[in-house]
Amino acid sequence: MIQIGLVMGSNSDWEVMQHAARQLKAFGIQFEARVVSAHRTPDLLYEYAETAEARGLKAIIAGAGGAAHLPGMLAAKTTVPVLGVPVPSKYLRGEDSLLSIVQMPKGIPVATFAIGEAGAANAALFAVAMLANEMPELRAKLNRFREQQKSTVLAMSLPEIV
């Protein structure tokens, strides 16, 4: 069953958002990936948000660049948690996207992550953690992932100074 929606304003956002898809896939989480533009397909955006809960979605990861209205507009139309990923823009490096997503008005929250690939991956890991609250086997996978990260850092060494 599809549990996570992964949406972006344009197919050009896939370069960043595929990092979320890879994390979800690595944990065996069923997801759907779609282009849903807040500005070019507002009716599709409304339909997507309004049917999200009935379709079984537990969270929506929404990536957007520039004005970045997609995450906020989704959040305005559903109570399914929306996780916003600012996609880097050509001129302002994603800072415009970050500010657009993070500055939601009181009462319509969007959990906002870092600009770019790290934000996309972390949004997926956050969604995994949300699902893991109700799925002990997923919680175990997440714990193993964290232990693997810890082991990787502990195994690191620095070169000798000569």
Side-chain angles (χ1 to χ4, degrees):
M1 182 172 90
I2 294 172
Q3 296 178 295
I4 304 295
L6 179 60
V7 296
M8 59 217 75
S10 171
N11 63 354
S12 63
D13 298 337
W14 182 244
E15 186 177 331
V16 167
M17 297 307 290
Q18 68 182 316
H19 295 274
R22 285 197 175 109
Q23 285 293 337
L24 294 170
K25 191 171 185 177
F27 280 92
I29 303 298
Q30 298 269 332
F31 66 93
E32 61 187 19
R34 297 190 61 179
V35 173
V36 178
S37 172
H39 301 111
R40 293 167 290 183
T41 59
D43 294 335
L44 174 61
L45 179 148
Y46 291 162
E47 177 189 344
Y48 188 89
E50 290 170 344
T51 63
E53 185 176 0
R55 292 184 296 112
L57 295 184
K58 303 296 184 203
I60 301 169
I61 300 171
H69 290 132
L70 179 61
M73 290 304 298
L74 287 165
K77 297 295 282 180
T78 186
T79 57
V80 171
V82 176
L83 315 178
V85 178
V87 174
S89 55
K90 182 176 180 181
Y91 298 107
L92 297 174
R93 302 172 314 278
E95 293 170 27
D96 51 344
S97 310
L98 173 64
L99 292 173
S100 292
I101 297 170
V102 79
Q103 283 301 121
M104 286 299 295
K106 179 181 176 183
I108 307 293
V110 172
T112 309
F113 292 84
I115 298 168
E117 294 88 352
N122 281 338
L125 289 168
F126 191 89
V128 168
M130 288 173 51
L131 293 173
N133 284 322
E134 305 296 324
M135 303 170 67
E137 68 282 356
L138 187 56
R139 167 78 52 205
K141 280 184 184 180
L142 184 57
N143 286 334
R144 284 193 300 275
F145 172 80
R146 292 284 184 94
E147 282 299 316
Q148 184 180 17
Q149 285 189 307
K150 177 178 146 183
S151 295
T152 299
V153 171
L154 292 175
M156 290 179 181
S157 61
L158 299 173
E160 289 290 322
I161 300 293
V162 289

